[in-house]
Amino acid sequence: MKPTSKELTATQRMQPGVITLSGFLGSDTRALNEIIADDAAMLERLGHDPEELADRMEYFTRTSWSSYLDEELIEGKYKAQTDVYRGKLPCPYGHAGLYRKAITRLTNMQNGISVVWTSLNIHLIKAHCFFEGRGSAFRIEPETLVKALFE
Amino acid sequence: MFGTIIKDIAVLAGISGILAILLVIAERFLNDYGDCRININGKRDITIKGGNNLLASLGEKEIFLPSACGGRGSCGTCKCKITEGGGPLLPTEKPFLSKAELEDSIRLACQVKVKTDVFIQIPESIFNIRKYTSTITEIIDYTYDIKGITFKLEDGEEIDFKAGQYVQLISEPYAKMKQRVSRAYSISSKPEDRNSIQLIIRLVPEGICTTWVHNYLKVGDRVNFTGPYGDFYLRDTNADIIFVAGGSGKAPIKSILEHLAVVGIERKMTYFFGARTLKDLYLTDEMKAFEKIFPDFRYEPVLSQPESGDGWQGKTGYVMPYFKDAIRDPKNTEAYLCGSPGMINAVCNALTDLGVAKEKIYYDSFG
């Protein structure tokens, strides 16, 4: 599938040094639309949609955000902690708005799975079904994320 | 067959070349807007060559509007009022502007192309913002992820700022980084040190500028920055003061305290510094030393997760429960907070619950 001009622009902005140090694509050799299509297909197989995942991630980030120094115990089985750093990041697709440099670490204590995401990850999943390329600093495997969020 | 392909490629390349030349000629002659005038606050005119954006055009004349993204239209901080000229509002600006700002003719300077004369209004304090070149004279590791870096201004230059304000550091290309980025950091030294500033910078995972600062900068390197910016500074009243900070949020409070040590102060002050563990604490002795300098000052580091081997005997938990002992009259108390938005939110709620007026709580929430 030929990439659109929007995807090409987004791909450029996802390169190392444009928005973040290592960029969003990691060592992935697939085109942006292929990465998204593969993850969307995986998500469908798992019976979830990106918005559902993003809303749950947002919930954990928001809940742990209010406890600004400690890990928050949520729903009796999740440990979540959000660290906020100075500054904000834009969406590589050029969406309006800025996303805080906030990193949430979530551990599902029932199955022992831990995942890490940023505020920008939540937006990228919700609006673009983009989980980042393989090997990028904040790539999240959809399968792992689903297990952490819903099992 | 092969010859035909080569011929087609040559024809295509030729057409592309001609089009590129035509574009360059068109850019040169059709987009020549000549000299344009920018009138600032109805008082001052500057003349620039038309065609560039307003942010860059002002920058050429050493007038620096705040901009965290370097004019890429992604941070929304280079706002200014345009009373005449500037062309229509662009879709790229609208999401960053509130209804009131839209009605008040506020625009994003980086998105406004100067093609005709433009009349703008900007705060007078902007004229104090300048670009500085400096040399790094000292780098101190305060914690595992926080450094203090001292920048000495070159050519005998001096900087005039209020304790609590910030500058925008401009990173240089490094490793695979081709572009410069500018990022905001609070000044941690006192304004009386006019020919140098210190910044306290925490390493941000995947941060372009902080990685450059932490892993590439060394003593003797030359660094550019612009400033000063911001309205986080101590108000001149007689109210008691509560300072609250976390992480690199210590920077502006340090600047304020060092300044007060020079000018003197009689006000009651309590400074709460929240951290997770002992390894997140820094400059504790320096802050404690102010207790001997000021007539009524206490420094209270509070650890939320002290580790068993730390031997920590100080305050634990969150900072908020300790406020009530520090506030003697909430109506005559001001608070100055610097840290993460979660901390600011929790502290604001605790202070207002105790009766401190919202408008007397000033903060820098790592914007």
Side-chain angles (χ1 to χ4, degrees):
Chain A
M1 195 168 38
K2 207 177 162 197
T4 63
S5 62
K6 207 173 175 182
E7 285 166 339
L8 287 173
T9 308
T11 304
Q12 282 170 0
R13 301 188 80 199
M14 288 178 184
Q15 297 304 311
V18 181
I19 293 175
T20 62
L21 185 68
S22 313
F24 298 78
L25 298 170
S27 53
D28 212 317
T29 52
R30 295 171 296 169
L32 177 59
N33 54 12
E34 290 172 329
I35 297 172
I36 289 171
D38 288 352
D39 285 338
M42 167 59 80
L43 213 52
E44 204 177 333
R45 280 199 293 279
L46 295 166
H48 292 276
D49 64 65
E51 196 166 328
E52 185 190 6
L53 261 66
D55 287 346
R56 187 106 172 112
M57 292 161 80
E58 178 67 41
Y59 158 72
F60 284 118
T61 292
R62 204 178 45 245
T63 309
S64 57
W65 182 293
S66 58
S67 167
Y68 70 94
L69 281 172
D70 283 336
E71 275 184 337
E72 189 80 7
L73 184 64
I74 302 167
E75 296 175 4
K77 65 171 185 176
Y78 294 101
K79 269 188 187 170
Q81 185 169 306
T82 296
D83 282 314
V84 182
Y85 298 83
R86 184 177 280 280
K88 292 174 182 173
L89 294 173
C91 166
Y93 284 89
H95 271 115
L98 294 165
Y99 302 86
R100 279 201 178 273
K101 292 179 182 174
I103 299 173
T104 301
R105 291 172 177 81
L106 178 85
T107 301
N108 179 329
M109 294 185 296
Q110 203 159 281
N111 58 20
I113 292 176
S114 293
V115 280
V116 177
W117 65 74
T118 66
S119 293
L120 185 52
N121 277 131
I122 299 174
H123 165 75
L124 290 172
I125 290 171
K126 187 167 194 162
H128 309 285
C129 192
F130 179 52
F131 293 75
E132 302 204 2
R134 287 183 194 132
S136 90
F138 289 103
R139 159 78 183 171
I140 319 171
E141 290 299 334
E143 201 173 356
T144 312
L145 186 59
V146 165
K147 282 180 183 168
L149 295 176
F150 297 106
E151 273 188 2
Chain B
M1 175 70 177
F2 185 69
T4 312
I5 292 171
I6 295 288
K7 196 177 141 196
D8 287 349
I9 290 172
V11 170
L12 263 177
I15 292 170
S16 304
I18 291 166
L19 282 174
I21 293 166
L22 282 174
L23 274 173
V24 171
I25 293 168
E27 180 75 23
R28 173 83 175 79
F29 293 101
L30 300 180
N31 284 350
D32 183 2
Y33 302 104
D35 287 343
C36 296
R37 182 169 62 106
I38 302 174
N39 177 277
I40 304 166
N41 298 348
K43 295 175 187 170
R44 178 178 168 185
D45 282 329
I46 59 170
T47 305
I48 53 105
K49 190 161 169 41
N52 212 342
N53 71 57
L54 179 59
L55 179 72
S57 300
L58 291 169
E60 276 173 30
K61 298 291 178 185
E62 301 276 304
I63 298 168
F64 299 104
L65 295 180
S67 167
C69 69
R72 290 179 208 165
S74 60
C75 73
T77 52
C78 60
K79 290 174 183 173
C80 74
K81 183 169 178 165
I82 299 190
T83 53
E84 204 179 316
L89 185 78
L90 299 180
T92 46
E93 297 174 74
K94 216 172 169 183
F96 293 101
L97 302 169
S98 67
K99 196 168 171 253
E101 285 173 331
L102 288 168
E103 283 167 5
D104 198 28
S105 306
I106 303 294
R107 303 282 302 272
L108 290 192
C110 70
Q111 299 299 299
V112 174
K113 231 178 181 188
V114 184
K115 300 176 181 174
T116 59
D117 291 351
V118 183
F119 289 70
I120 68 168
Q121 285 183 11
I122 54 178
E124 290 292 327
S125 59
I126 296 285
F127 297 117
N128 189 36
I129 298 168
R130 290 171 47 202
K131 187 174 182 179
Y132 296 91
T133 300
S134 65
T135 304
I136 295 185
T137 54
E138 188 179 40
I139 300 175
I140 305 168
D141 287 317
Y142 283 139
T143 72
Y144 58 97
D145 68 349
I146 293 177
K147 283 182 192 287
I149 303 110
T150 304
F151 304 78
K152 188 176 189 316
L153 306 186
E154 290 195 342
D155 305 323
E157 281 214 88
E158 294 190 337
I159 183 168
D160 181 18
F161 67 95
K162 282 183 184 172
Q165 288 192 294
Y166 69 91
V167 295
Q168 296 217 149
L169 200 61
I170 303 164
S171 73
E172 293 297 323
Y174 69 95
K176 288 181 183 171
M177 303 300 120
K178 303 275 183 287
Q179 297 176 340
R180 290 180 172 84
V181 296
S182 67
R183 296 285 186 266
Y185 303 105
S186 295
I187 303 170
S188 53
S189 50
K190 60 184 181 291
E192 288 75 14
D193 297 339
R194 294 173 64 89
N195 63 358
S196 70
I197 60 164
Q198 190 208 39
L199 305 179
I200 290 177
I201 298 177
R202 184 182 182 195
L203 180 65
V204 178
E206 282 295 292
I208 296 172
C209 195
T210 62
T211 300
W212 174 66
V213 168
H214 273 250
N215 298 348
Y216 291 86
L217 273 190
K218 54 189 186 306
V219 169
D221 284 351
R222 294 180 82 204
V223 176
N224 294 313
F225 64 86
T226 60
Y229 301 94
D231 53 10
F232 184 73
Y233 55 85
L234 190 72
R235 269 56 179 180
D236 188 14
T237 69
N238 289 317
D240 293 348
I241 300 168
I242 301 281
F243 294 113
V244 185
S248 59
K250 181 166 268 176
I253 314 294
K254 175 177 175 284
S255 176
I256 290 170
L257 291 172
E258 289 185 357
H259 167 64
L260 293 175
V262 174
V263 299
I265 189 164
E266 298 297 320
R267 294 161 69 176
K268 173 181 165 64
M269 301 186 286
T270 315
Y271 178 5
F272 295 96
F273 184 76
R276 281 201 182 109
T277 65
L278 197 61
K279 70 182 194 321
D280 297 306
L281 286 185
Y282 64 101
L283 287 170
T284 304
D285 291 343
E286 288 81 350
M287 296 299 113
K288 275 275 174 201
F290 285 120
E291 292 180 346
K292 291 191 175 125
I293 293 170
F294 302 122
D296 195 350
F297 173 79
R298 267 191 310 132
Y299 178 63
E300 301 281 14
V302 184
L303 296 186
S304 70
Q305 299 167 24
E307 288 161 352
S308 50
D310 281 351
W312 177 250
Q313 297 191 333
K315 289 185 163 58
T316 57
Y318 286 163
V319 293
M320 290 84 80
Y322 300 105
F323 291 164
K324 62 178 187 307
D325 296 333
I327 296 175
R328 54 184 178 186
D329 175 9
K331 289 193 168 40
N332 189 38
T333 298
E334 287 171 0
Y336 295 85
L337 329 174
C338 188
S340 69
M343 182 274 264
I344 301 286
N345 192 40
V347 168
C348 277
N349 289 339
L351 287 169
T352 49
D353 284 351
L354 288 168
V356 178
K358 244 181 185 168
E359 58 273 20
K360 287 185 179 176
I361 303 173
Y362 307 95
Y363 55 83
D364 172 354
S365 65
F366 283 178

